[in-house]
Amino acid sequence: MPKKPQKSKQIQLKGIPAAPGIAIGRAYVYGTEDIIPVERTIDREEIPDEVQRFKDSLKKTKKEILAIEKKISSEMGVEHGRIFSAHLLVLEDSVLVHEVVARLKKKRKNVEIVFTEVLNKYINVLSEARDEYLRDRISDITDVGKRILKNLSGIEQRGLADIDDKSIVIAYDLSPSDTAMMHKGRVLGFVTDIGGRTSHTAIMAKSLEIPAVVGLESVTDVVKSGDQIILDGLHGVVIVNPTKRFLEKYRREKKKYEHLEHELNELRSLPSETPDGKKIVVAGNIELPEDVASVISHGAEGIGLYRTEYFYMNRQDVPSEEEQFNAYKSVAQRIKPNSVIVRSLDLGGDKFLSALDVPKEMNPFLGWRAIRFCLARTDIFKAQLRAILRASAFGNLKLMYPMISGIAELRQANEILEEVKRDLRKEGIPFNDQIPVGAMIEVPSAAITSHILAKEADFFSIGTNDLIQYSLAVDRVNEKIAYLYEPAHPAVLSLVKMVIDSAHRENIPVGLCGEMAGDVALTMILMGLGLDEFSTSPIAVPEIKKIIRSVRFTEARNIAEKAMSFTTGKEVMRYAKSRLRELVPDIAAELAS
Ligand code: PEP
Ligand code: MG
């Protein structure tokens, strides 16, 4: 008797919530569908046909890549489209093509096998290269190689950019540039085995407003393409092959979340002010000029962090001064009269640039990163400063240096800025001579010496993503130790308080632009500590505004004082959540217990 088909069992996995929202859809497992070609010996007469088959597949691949490049560039902007130019370069590599043809004639094996051998040889050579740029080419070669094999085999396989139906992407890992290719509307959400809440992949997901859960450790072992998935990006839960009861529950939750989102949207044009009249700015963070639309539509009052390094990613060259000027100018003009804090290049950590010759390091987060890189590569730094200064004539721009570790670095950066200003004056190019210049406080030594830095900076912005990883010694992208990554840890709260107090003693404003600024459980504490500006992913702006508009400043001060008296982060969180439930129940409903 034929067996009844077995119903797949429901599996529930817990990971790290990376971008909010609930998605229900089919899984698309990305990156594991390698094509393994079967070896076949060919006759001499078959050689021309095999060569032709190879050439046809190259042509087809090129056509596909050009079409994707065009589609992504028009839908998401040229920055995103540029990633594919690197893929085209691989296809146009005549040495690779000649080697495949020569080997085919010599070995008399089918072209899939010969091509795979040549590809692997290239990858091996590149993986030993000292030059980071060359090593970075491995992923381009692998991506294009898979596409060529797919076209040779006739198997239909989709990439991230050309997913054409609504899927939930399941992957071991996604780089920030992979994420940049995803498109809201085509991709319902994504789920990864590795990564942390403040990895730049998670940050990019928030910008794109795609619900995401990361750090699930083994999701790619459990899920197959086509499985039904519930993704709860609010609580970090993924349910594979859910039962009817769970499906109904999450459909209701999804409706509830969308309703709350809609209600919060109504706050868009209302001021961000406490009921007892304290004004607190709520700004948005952006990675690319295209993100400005989302900042405006979510009612943010300006941009508190423009991560300019994304401009330098996914391309073969360093962006010119002119190109940067045009981008900064357009952002400044669109946000006017509100302000934009442009952060100078923060290369390194988990953000690697293709075009720069940066050696691999053992501890990239502690290495040649951010301002350290810029102070050494003054050619790149000066071009960026010129572009920012020139754009400052067209709007309300502020400049901020990342990863300042002490006053000497701030002074050194400012000296270079003065040099650039002198050059511009000489050339008669207009700029705002009074452009405010701030320091990011994201290294413990900067927080501890913030009383010194406050005398020479025009403003501070606390970068808690890094400040937490450095003060608690917890790698921000490592899911294994994510439980130790606690924004509410008493050490972190003390450092944040220290920085705010130092700034206020010198009468300079202080913002916070790490992911902590969008963590609703902590908003009242940060308000009470006296923070002047929250800058967060645009999607979190309405919620933060709602809390500010609901809680009196005097109440927030009491909450912050009480929070500072606890001895562990867990106690702080428990207390903060219970006060939020009491004071702003709608928002608290979203919190994980
Ligand atoms: C931070 O460290 O908090 C920050 C905002 O910078 P990034 O996340 O880009 O390192
Ligand atoms: Mg940082």
Side-chain angles (χ1 to χ4, degrees), residues 200 203 305 307 343 346 351 369 440 442 463-466 476 513-514:
H200 284 95
I203 291 171
L305 170 65
R307 290 184 166 95
R343 177 175 73 181
D346 183 12
K351 288 173 290 201
R369 230 200 115 175
M440 271 194 91
E442 48 185 350
T464 44
N465 298 340
D466 281 314
R476 64 193 262 192
C513 61

Side-chain angles (χ1 to χ4, degrees), residues 158-173:
R158 297 167 303 168
L160 275 185
D162 45 4
I163 292 179
D164 48 15
D165 55 7
K166 302 204 168 201
S167 314
I168 295 178
V169 174
I170 312 283
Y172 173 73
D173 186 21

Side-chain angles (χ1 to χ4, degrees), residues 14 110 131 154 381 480:
K14 180 88 181 80
N110 52 326
D131 181 334
F381 191 35
K480 296 235 168 16

Side-chain angles (χ1 to χ4, degrees), residues 95-317:
V95 181
L96 184 134
V97 177
H98 282 137
E99 187 164 351
V100 172
V101 174
R103 215 179 244 252
L104 186 86
K105 291 178 179 158
K106 195 166 145 213
K107 296 243 171 149
R108 300 260 191 92
K109 284 186 200 159
N110 52 326
V111 68
E112 286 90 343
I113 293 297
V114 172
F115 174 67
T116 308
E117 285 170 5
V118 174
L119 204 67
N120 287 341
K121 191 180 115 185
Y122 265 59
I123 292 170
N124 286 339
V125 172
L126 287 177
S127 61
E128 308 217 313
R130 292 173 64 87
D131 181 334
E132 171 133 12
Y133 171 76
L134 288 178
R135 282 199 311 272
D136 276 354
R137 301 281 62 72
I138 294 177
S139 62
D140 294 330
I141 293 197
T142 315
D143 279 4
V144 179
K146 273 190 195 162
R147 205 174 265 281
I148 295 172
L149 277 176
K150 175 206 77 172
N151 283 332
L152 278 170
S153 67
I155 294 173
E156 280 309 318
Q157 194 182 36
R158 297 167 303 168
L160 275 185
D162 45 4
I163 292 179
D164 48 15
D165 55 7
K166 302 204 168 201
S167 314
I168 295 178
V169 174
I170 312 283
Y172 173 73
D173 186 21
L174 292 168
S175 67
S177 47
D178 279 335
T179 320
M181 287 197 301
M182 291 189 184
H183 193 285
K184 191 184 172 195
R186 271 205 301 266
V187 172
L188 293 177
F190 78 79
V191 170
T192 60
D193 280 343
I194 69 168
R197 192 196 292 261
T198 61
S199 65
H200 284 95
T201 299
I203 291 171
M204 195 72 194
K206 281 191 207 156
S207 280
L208 295 169
E209 299 177 40
I210 298 174
V213 179
V214 298
L216 281 146
E217 297 191 354
S218 58
V219 67
T220 49
D221 298 331
V222 173
V223 178
K224 298 184 302 308
S225 282
D227 280 347
Q228 187 165 40
I229 304 283
I230 295 173
L231 184 167
D232 176 355
L234 296 163
H235 304 106
V237 172
V238 171
I239 302 170
V240 187
N241 294 320
T243 59
K244 216 166 136 205
R245 192 166 67 82
F246 267 80
L247 262 178
E248 274 160 16
K249 173 178 170 229
Y250 273 94
R251 281 195 185 119
R252 281 195 304 273
E253 292 290 324
K254 187 164 158 26
K255 267 218 184 101
K256 231 164 56 189
Y257 176 73
E258 284 163 0
H259 180 71
L260 175 64
E261 261 199 321
H262 180 74
E263 270 189 1
L264 287 171
N265 256 337
E266 318 261 287
L267 293 176
R268 207 170 23 198
S269 50
L270 298 176
S272 161
E273 192 176 303
T274 63
D276 49 349
K278 170 135 169 91
K279 178 99 195 68
I280 301 171
V281 177
V282 185
N285 292 350
I286 66 166
E287 277 79 55
L288 292 167
E290 293 91 279
D291 302 335
V292 171
S294 171
V295 168
I296 295 169
S297 70
H298 286 92
E301 301 153 300
I303 293 170
L305 170 65
Y306 176 3
R307 290 184 166 95
T308 56
E309 51 280 359
Y310 280 83
F311 215 141
Y312 296 67
M313 287 161 91
N314 291 337
R315 58 187 293 159
Q316 302 307 308
D317 54 352

